[in-house]
Amino acid sequence: MLTLYQIRNNTEEIIKKLSVRNKDFSEPVYEAIKIDDERREIKGKSDLILAESNKLAKSIGQLFKEGKQAEANQAKEKAISLKEEVKKLARKLNETENKLLQVLSEIPNIPNELVPEGKSDTDNEEIRNGGIIPKLNKKVPHWELADKYDLIDFELGNKITGAGFPVYKGKGAKLQRALINFFLEEAEKAGFTEIMPPLVINEDSGFGTGQLPDKEGQMYQITEDKLFLIPTAEVPLTNIYRNVILKAEDFPIKLTAYSSCFRREAGSYGKDVRGLNRLHQFDKVEIVQIQHPDKSYETLDEMVAYVELLVQKLELPYRIVRLCGGDLGFTSALTYDFEVYSAGQGKWLEVSSVSNFESFQANRLKLRFKETGEKQTKLAHTLNGSALALPRIVAALLENNYTENGIKIPEVLQKFTKFDFIN
RNA sequence: GGAGAGAUGGCAGAGUGGUCGAAUGCGGCGGUCUUGAAAACCGUUGUACCGAAAGGUACCGGGGGUUCGAAUCCCUCUCUCUCCGCCA
């Protein structure tokens, strides 16, 4: 959520910058300012009456003590009429505030200057690539390899739960565990503190990171307890700092967590859902940083470099793209996506998304900090990235490393898998 | 799941209807003293909103109610503790 301060002080500039998202946001922006004007006026009036009513209440106490019953009763009547007015205003204030919140939550984050114009993912800007696309004798998609070597049983998942809940078996399961351990160990080496968060979150947390109120259809819900299965560890991780006031010297805060992620993926049926390409439950190691506003873009670059190192270590051909305005997520100011080439399918698969949210999430989270020696609080910047999501990495590893003799495990993983070949 | 107790500022802890945004202690910050430090002493120390400012308003776990007036009374939810039951 943008702050009213941002919107009121840079109105024209914000509208211009938002237009990079391929949509005109001048209407909600002006609407927000209009509603805020109303809100201020009502608040002013209401405070004035409350002040009078408070004064009156105190005087009534005094009058009773002095035994001036008649005067006290007169004052009481006046107080009652004031109270009615306040009640009306309070209701109006509440309505106005809700309306404001609604309009504000329709306005996405302001794209950074680096965000290229564009409508869809085809307009994303490739900034770097690396690795070598393997020349395979035979292109085999991972779902066939998974079946051939009995690594993943999709049918069994259907039986136990439903589509999109695969069952990993034998070396397939071990490969999962190896990747998780590899990613966590790398994150630890890079200075991230490992967290093991709850996989279930409440409404406040969902609101804090922006899943609620509008994206609730993407989460699995436990309606009886008003809880949700996490779509990513970003949610519990970032919400650790909900309603927290940090000191400037606390920065940067670097957290990592492995978690299962649960996504309903409503509305994405039939598109790229084969095998591991799109699942309802998958595993991911997430990295989160909370940083001083002056340093968040430095940190974003650092996180991109970190994820790049991971895919390099896994010897996967990759490219990094800067998302264009049309493809940029609602809450993000700048996002880099990582894609790896999965040679069996002949496709680029998105395996990581690294974003700077600036103060957009922090505003909702009420995640603030104080500059040393200053009393005033400011919003912190939050960033996160996948480092990495497992299924598509597994898909690419299986497909790219497939030879007639079996599937070769990258060297960095062998320490964790305790085997170097799947055959 | 059942019975009971509780939730107050960074922490500890007082306050059971009127000048309480809240005593006191500890901690933090500033100062005096000191070559420096400690001790002692003095001062200061929550968040948000409205306002150009003066100042005002709201907040004592969340939400609602009673009252002229609520940290204090009532309802409800959440959480914590003790006991019982169940249990990895």
Side-chain angles (χ1 to χ4, degrees):
Chain A
M1 208 160 62
L2 295 178
T3 62
L4 282 161
Y5 183 85
Q6 289 173 298
I7 290 174
R8 296 192 78 107
N9 289 289
N10 296 301
T11 315
E12 296 307 320
E13 199 191 328
I14 283 177
I15 290 171
K16 202 177 140 211
K17 283 186 173 172
L18 283 173
S19 68
V20 174
R21 289 182 178 270
N22 263 313
K23 206 180 150 187
D24 177 30
F25 286 95
S26 53
E27 202 187 303
V29 168
Y30 286 124
E31 179 73 3
I33 293 172
K34 202 185 108 201
I35 298 170
D36 187 47
D37 285 338
E38 274 172 50
R39 183 190 129 256
R40 288 178 186 210
E41 201 193 318
I42 298 167
K43 166 92 169 124
K45 270 190 204 165
S46 154
D47 279 1
L48 223 58
I49 298 172
L50 277 170
E52 201 185 333
S53 152
N54 284 346
K55 231 187 275 170
L56 208 57
K58 276 181 193 172
S59 77
I60 290 170
Q62 195 57 37
L63 289 169
F64 271 124
K65 265 186 203 161
E66 290 166 12
K68 298 176 180 165
Q69 293 284 339
E71 274 179 64
N73 283 329
Q74 222 174 9
K76 254 196 199 183
E77 266 172 50
K78 190 168 176 210
I80 291 170
S81 76
L82 283 178
K83 202 182 139 192
E84 264 164 43
E85 257 181 277
V86 166
K87 254 193 182 165
K88 257 188 247 164
L89 284 172
R91 219 176 295 131
K92 233 165 105 183
L93 187 62
N94 202 281
E95 270 170 36
T96 313
E97 276 170 353
N98 286 339
K99 232 169 38 183
L100 185 59
L101 189 67
Q102 212 183 325
V103 174
L104 282 176
S105 41
E106 282 169 29
I107 305 170
N109 203 353
I110 306 162
N112 181 275
E113 287 162 9
L114 290 172
V115 173
E117 299 208 10
K119 287 187 182 120
S120 71
D121 53 5
T122 52
D123 301 315
N124 291 342
E125 181 186 337
E126 180 172 329
I127 61 158
R128 271 206 299 284
N129 61 57
I132 301 152
I133 294 177
K135 298 222 161 58
L136 300 175
N137 296 333
K138 218 174 140 197
K139 289 186 178 181
V140 185
H142 66 270
W143 49 87
E144 285 179 23
L145 295 170
D147 191 48
K148 180 174 176 184
Y149 296 109
D150 201 19
L151 302 173
I152 307 166
D153 196 329
F154 292 99
E155 291 301 313
L156 198 52
N158 290 348
K159 175 186 173 185
I160 300 171
T161 311
F165 293 90
V167 177
Y168 301 88
K169 301 198 291 196
K171 284 189 172 174
K174 283 192 167 57
L175 181 58
Q176 292 286 115
R177 187 150 55 91
L179 281 164
I180 294 162
N181 285 332
F182 169 63
F183 291 144
L184 283 174
E185 208 162 272
E186 290 293 317
E188 196 187 347
K189 275 192 240 162
F192 291 90
T193 303
E194 186 175 340
I195 303 285
M196 203 168 197
L199 304 181
V200 177
I201 49 140
N202 60 24
E203 282 181 294
D204 285 346
S205 295
F207 180 82
T209 30
Q211 279 71 29
L212 296 175
D214 31 296
K215 283 177 218 141
E216 63 203 312
Q218 290 300 333
M219 289 192 289
Y220 287 99
Q221 306 194 25
I222 303 161
T223 47
E224 197 171 346
D225 298 300
K226 284 192 188 152
L227 299 172
F228 304 83
L229 296 189
I230 57 168
T232 157
E234 167 202 341
V235 180
L237 237 38
T238 313
N239 270 285
I240 293 174
Y241 289 92
R242 169 155 49 85
N243 262 317
V244 168
I245 299 174
L246 296 163
K247 295 185 217 116
E249 61 259 36
D250 294 334
F251 295 129
I253 288 168
K254 302 174 77 173
L255 304 176
T256 185
Y258 152 72
S259 85
S260 292
C261 302
F262 304 89
R263 298 185 182 180
R264 294 189 63 229
E265 299 288 359
S268 63
Y269 296 104
K271 201 185 159 209
D272 295 332
V273 295
R274 250 348 256 284
L276 295 170
N277 288 353
R278 175 165 262 119
L279 300 172
H280 289 308
Q281 178 181 329
F282 64 95
D283 297 289
K284 179 161 63 66
V285 172
E286 182 80 1
I287 51 175
V288 165
Q289 290 214 46
I290 297 166
Q291 181 58 290
H292 190 286
D294 293 347
K295 292 197 184 140
S296 65
Y297 279 96
E298 249 170 72
T299 297
L300 181 65
D301 290 341
E302 177 200 302
M303 285 167 76
V304 169
Y306 170 74
V307 175
E308 186 171 11
L309 202 70
L310 289 182
V311 286
Q312 283 172 349
K313 283 185 178 176
L314 289 170
E315 302 164 49
L316 292 168
Y318 67 92
R319 63 182 188 196
I320 307 173
V321 298
R322 191 183 276 139
L323 294 195
C324 73
D327 205 21
L328 187 67
F330 189 83
T331 54
S332 176
L334 182 60
T335 296
Y336 293 97
D337 269 8
F338 279 73
E339 295 174 345
V340 299
Y341 191 75
S342 206
Q345 299 177 74
K347 252 189 200 168
W348 290 96
L349 302 176
E350 186 196 326
V351 292
S352 175
S353 197
V354 185
S355 305
N356 186 356
F357 303 97
E358 296 193 7
S359 62
F360 197 83
Q361 279 186 334
N363 188 30
R364 278 200 173 199
L365 289 161
K366 295 203 170 62
L367 164 48
R368 293 153 294 170
F369 74 99
K370 280 183 191 174
E371 220 71 82
T372 320
E374 279 183 26
K375 263 192 104 167
Q376 183 208 2
T377 61
K378 295 183 197 163
L379 292 171
H381 281 195
T382 61
L383 305 98
N384 69 46
S386 351
L388 289 160
L390 299 217
R392 293 176 191 160
I393 291 286
V394 170
L397 285 177
L398 296 182
E399 294 179 14
N400 293 5
N401 299 337
Y402 175 56
T403 67
E404 283 152 21
N405 307 321
I407 297 159
K408 193 183 161 285
I409 301 295
E411 232 169 275
V412 286
L413 285 182
Q414 291 175 13
K415 166 181 155 198
F416 299 100
T417 52
K418 313 257 169 54
F419 54 82
D420 55 5
F421 238 83
I422 297 173
N423 46 26

